[in-house]
């Protein structure tokens, strides 16, 4: 979608309607992922792709029909057999498409979304794909505002909360709700499409605990990098596929790497020659979370060394050490859950206490 938005924004501003097909579900070896889009505009012009060519012809006709009727449709394309005239995916995968007509009248959010994406402003678009809510209805959610409606105040509120959660991770997902936003029901399917780069997780120290933290970070939607100065430990085969592995001195790598208010930094080296220069750099730059592993004695020694290095009380107060919540964790995987739980709690203001002992909304509005 991001690739074709400049063209679609131009059509939209000109008041020209177009048919938009978006991949909202995939299975097996689908050629393109959720969020891939193809649009059919004025004079039959086509931009984008949803399958790399397998079903584009059928989607073209479907988009034209939707523009003519004004009624959004949900269609699934699966495997086609050896019949060369069959419409399907030769790769054996399956894609589900939401095809809808977009005009300033049918989708008042689209122009603002296109402008935000062009300006690199994070936004999530929630679109009803199925159920008793109006199919194709759209709600745009920014960190500080919303535009549009899915047809019910309760549904809008529930989806807004989830959309901001996905936006924080730069993630895209299909969620299900009741007609009025009930979270334990699945009558209404809503596709949440986030336009934001995934936040970064920087893990320093290529030990077993780092592999577990990297795995859960990847699962949570972070773009994970593991860095260690020791090449014998910093090898890609020790970490999940998709995790970047860097051989460099941690403080040197961090000094040349950009961070922002969503970046997570996990220092698992617990060795002063690595920790002190690394944390001196980390605690003076933007980050959502900075945690360091070690015993309480290690923590106290580390804090003395950091203070001696010139860090202020405010800078030292940013450090989460010993890292993680008190779960009684023992194994690397359990420790990774503890670290991830602290990161999530800090992001959303959670207490880390058992919900059985708390009162009020489980998912407070943000």
């Amino acid at each position: 979608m991001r690739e074709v938005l400049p063209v679609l924004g131009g059509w939209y501003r000109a008041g020209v309607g177009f048919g938009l097909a978006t991949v909202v579900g995939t299975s097996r070896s689908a050629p393109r992922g959720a969020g891939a889009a193809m649009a059919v505009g004025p004079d039959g012009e086509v931009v984008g792709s949803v399958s790399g060519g397998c079903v584009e012809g059928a989607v073209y006709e479907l988009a034209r029909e939707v523009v003519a009727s004004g009624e959004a449709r949900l269609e699934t394309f699966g495997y086609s057999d050896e019949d060369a005239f069959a419409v399907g995916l030769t790769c054996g995968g399956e894609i589900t498409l939401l095809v809808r007509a977009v005009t300033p009248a049918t989708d008042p959010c689209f122009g603002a979304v296109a402008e935000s994406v062009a300006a690199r402003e994070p936004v999530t678009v929630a679109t009803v794909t199925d159920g008793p809510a109006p199919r194709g209805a759209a709600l745009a959610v920014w960190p500080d505002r919303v535009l549009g409606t899915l047809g019910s105040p309760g549904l809008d509120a529930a989806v807004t909360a989830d959309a901001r959660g996905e936006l924080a991770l730069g993630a895209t997902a299909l969620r299900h709700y009741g007609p009025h936003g009930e979270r334990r029901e699945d009558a209404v399917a809503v596709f949440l499409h986030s336009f934001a780069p995934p936040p970064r997780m920087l893990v320093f120290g290529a030990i077993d605990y780092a592999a577990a933290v990297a795995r859960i970070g990847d699962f949570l939607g972070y773009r994970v990098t593991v860095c260690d100065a020791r090449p014998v430990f910093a090898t890609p085969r020790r970490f999940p596929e998709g995790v970047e592995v860097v051989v460099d001195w941690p403080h040197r790598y961090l000094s040349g790497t950009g961070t922002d208010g969503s970046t997570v930094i996990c220092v698992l080296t617990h060795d002063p020659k690595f920790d002190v220069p690394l944390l001196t750099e980390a605690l003076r730059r933007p980050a959502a979370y900075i945690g360091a592993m070690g015993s309480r004695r290690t923590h106290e020694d580390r804090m003395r060394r950091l203070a001696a290095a010139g860090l202020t009380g405010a800078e030292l107060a940013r450090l989460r050490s010993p890292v993680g919540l008190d779960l009684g964790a023992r194994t690397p995987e359990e420790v990774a859950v503890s670290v991830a739980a602290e990161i999530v709690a800090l992001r959303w203001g959670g207490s880390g206490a058992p919900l059985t002992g708390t009162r009020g909304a489980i998912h407070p509005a943000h």
Side-chain angles (χ1 to χ4, degrees):
M1 177 71 83
R2 189 186 295 272
E3 300 165 359
V4 300
L5 266 177
V7 175
L8 305 190
W11 291 345
Y12 187 89
R13 288 189 297 273
V16 177
F18 55 90
L20 178 62
T22 305
V23 178
V24 297
T26 65
S27 67
R28 301 189 296 278
S29 54
R32 300 207 68 188
M38 168 181 157
V40 179
D43 302 321
E45 182 181 356
V46 176
V47 294
S49 171
V50 292
S51 73
C54 296
V55 301
E56 264 70 1
V59 175
Y60 174 85
E61 296 299 335
L62 183 58
R64 288 173 66 89
E65 292 172 11
V66 166
V67 169
S69 68
E71 294 183 4
R73 291 172 59 177
L74 190 69
E75 297 286 344
T76 297
F77 294 90
Y79 176 70
S80 65
D81 58 22
E82 295 179 357
D83 179 356
F85 296 99
V87 175
L89 303 176
T90 56
C91 62
E94 184 176 276
I95 58 173
T96 299
L97 304 176
L98 174 67
V99 188
R100 62 191 181 100
V102 178
T103 68
T106 61
D107 188 349
C109 309
F110 194 89
V113 169
E115 290 175 2
S116 287
V117 173
R120 300 185 181 274
E121 181 182 17
V123 58
T124 293
V125 180
T127 311
V128 174
T129 65
D130 204 8
R135 178 175 289 161
L139 176 73
V141 180
W142 290 265
D144 59 351
R145 67 190 191 279
V146 299
L147 180 64
T149 180
L150 303 181
S152 159
L155 182 59
D156 288 349
V159 170
T160 295
D162 288 346
R164 285 183 174 144
E166 299 296 337
L167 187 58
L169 293 172
T172 290
L174 187 67
R175 295 291 185 90
H176 294 83
Y177 307 87
H180 301 288
E182 299 90 342
R183 293 183 178 277
R184 298 190 64 181
E185 299 183 24
D186 60 2
V188 181
V190 180
F191 182 62
L192 304 179
H193 190 181
S194 296
F195 295 91
R200 297 198 68 185
M201 173 182 280
L202 306 177
V203 182
F204 295 96
I207 60 176
D208 289 346
Y209 290 94
V213 170
R215 188 174 300 112
I216 202 166
D218 180 65
F219 175 76
L220 289 175
Y222 287 91
R223 180 163 64 95
V224 182
T225 298
V226 176
C227 175
D228 197 300
R230 302 163 296 181
V232 68
F233 295 113
T235 59
R237 67 176 179 273
R238 300 185 64 229
F239 298 93
E241 183 179 357
V243 170
E244 179 187 28
V245 180
V246 174
V247 179
D248 199 352
W249 279 83
H251 73 282
R252 185 169 61 193
Y253 173 75
L254 183 59
S255 67
T257 300
T259 63
D260 59 27
S262 65
T263 303
V264 166
I265 299 174
C266 297
V267 179
L268 309 182
T269 50
H270 55 81
D271 182 332
K273 70 174 177 290
F274 295 120
D275 288 2
V276 174
L278 172 59
L279 287 170
T280 300
E281 174 70 29
L283 292 169
R284 288 173 171 164
R285 58 165 53 227
Y289 175 93
I290 304 170
M293 176 178 281
S295 67
R296 298 195 185 281
R297 184 170 64 180
T298 297
H299 167 70
E300 291 169 0
D301 177 68
R302 180 190 293 134
M303 293 294 277
R304 285 193 295 269
R305 291 173 183 267
L306 290 170
L311 271 77
T312 67
E315 290 167 340
L316 292 173
R318 300 179 63 204
L319 180 61
R320 315 288 292 194
S321 175
V323 70
L325 297 185
D326 180 13
L327 305 182
R330 294 291 187 273
T331 68
E333 291 74 20
E334 290 174 343
V335 170
V337 170
S338 166
V339 173
E342 184 175 44
I343 291 169
V344 173
L346 188 63
R347 178 194 302 147
W348 298 115
S351 67
L355 289 172
T356 54
T358 63
R359 296 291 183 270
I362 294 176
H363 302 285
H366 287 276

